[in-house]
Amino acid sequence: MKVNKDHVPLTEAIYYILVALNQPMHGYGITQFVKEISQERVELGPGTLYGAIKSLLEKGWIKPVKQKEDSRRKEYEITETGKEILQMELERLEGLVRNGNQFIRGEKNDN
């Protein structure tokens, strides 16, 4: 899949889900991880989480992790395409911060 800049910006929920899935994780683990790293600012309800997972699977940004037959929990992980999307979003966000620092705080931009 060719990744282009039309895939960003990401919603905050999608961004954090992709960050979480840099390691294999199940739904409840994702919600706890996101809650923790966002310092409880972002809480993913089941509808938001599973709607996002469905969308991310369809886009090929995440994939299911092969499980043992007796496992009831579905785990997911980010794909290479998902990593590219996440990297583009990170660069976009870094640019926003650079511009804010330069024009609002008067800090010099060395880039």
Side-chain angles (χ1 to χ4, degrees), residues 1 3-4 6 8 16 56 60 75-76 78 85 96 98 106:
M1 173 183 187
V3 175
N4 63 48
D6 293 340
V8 291
Y16 277 120
L56 292 169
E75 286 192 333
Y76 306 93
I78 194 167
I85 296 293
L96 290 174
R98 260 193 321 274

Side-chain angles (χ1 to χ4, degrees), residues 20 25 28 31 35 37-38 42 48 53 55 58 61 78 96 100:
M25 208 172 287
Y28 182 74
T31 60
K35 186 176 179 180
I37 66 170
S38 70
V42 177
T48 300
I53 286 174
S55 174
E58 289 170 355
W61 296 2
I78 194 167
L96 290 174

Side-chain angles (χ1 to χ4, degrees), residues 21-87:
L21 292 178
N22 274 277
Q23 58 188 4
M25 208 172 287
H26 55 79
Y28 182 74
I30 296 168
T31 60
Q32 294 305 108
F33 180 87
V34 169
K35 186 176 179 180
E36 182 180 323
I37 66 170
S38 70
Q39 298 170 343
E40 298 189 10
R41 193 175 45 77
V42 177
E43 290 192 45
L44 300 173
T48 300
L49 175 66
Y50 290 104
I53 286 174
K54 181 181 179 203
S55 174
L56 292 169
L57 286 167
E58 289 170 355
K59 291 177 179 179
W61 296 2
I62 66 171
K63 64 183 178 184
V65 175
K66 191 168 178 117
Q67 298 292 316
K68 297 176 189 171
E69 283 186 37
D70 59 343
S71 178
R72 294 178 55 200
R73 288 186 172 173
K74 292 182 181 177
E75 286 192 333
Y76 306 93
E77 66 185 351
I78 194 167
T79 63
E80 288 304 313
T81 301
K83 288 178 183 179
E84 290 177 40
I85 296 293
L86 190 54
Q87 183 61 42

Side-chain angles (χ1 to χ4, degrees), residues 7-16 18 56 59 61 82 85-90 92-93:
H7 293 99
V8 291
L10 301 177
T11 65
E12 199 167 18
I14 296 292
Y15 174 80
Y16 277 120
L18 290 175
L56 292 169
K59 291 177 179 179
W61 296 2
I85 296 293
L86 190 54
Q87 183 61 42
M88 279 193 295
E89 178 67 354
L90 188 57
R92 184 188 76 82
L93 293 170

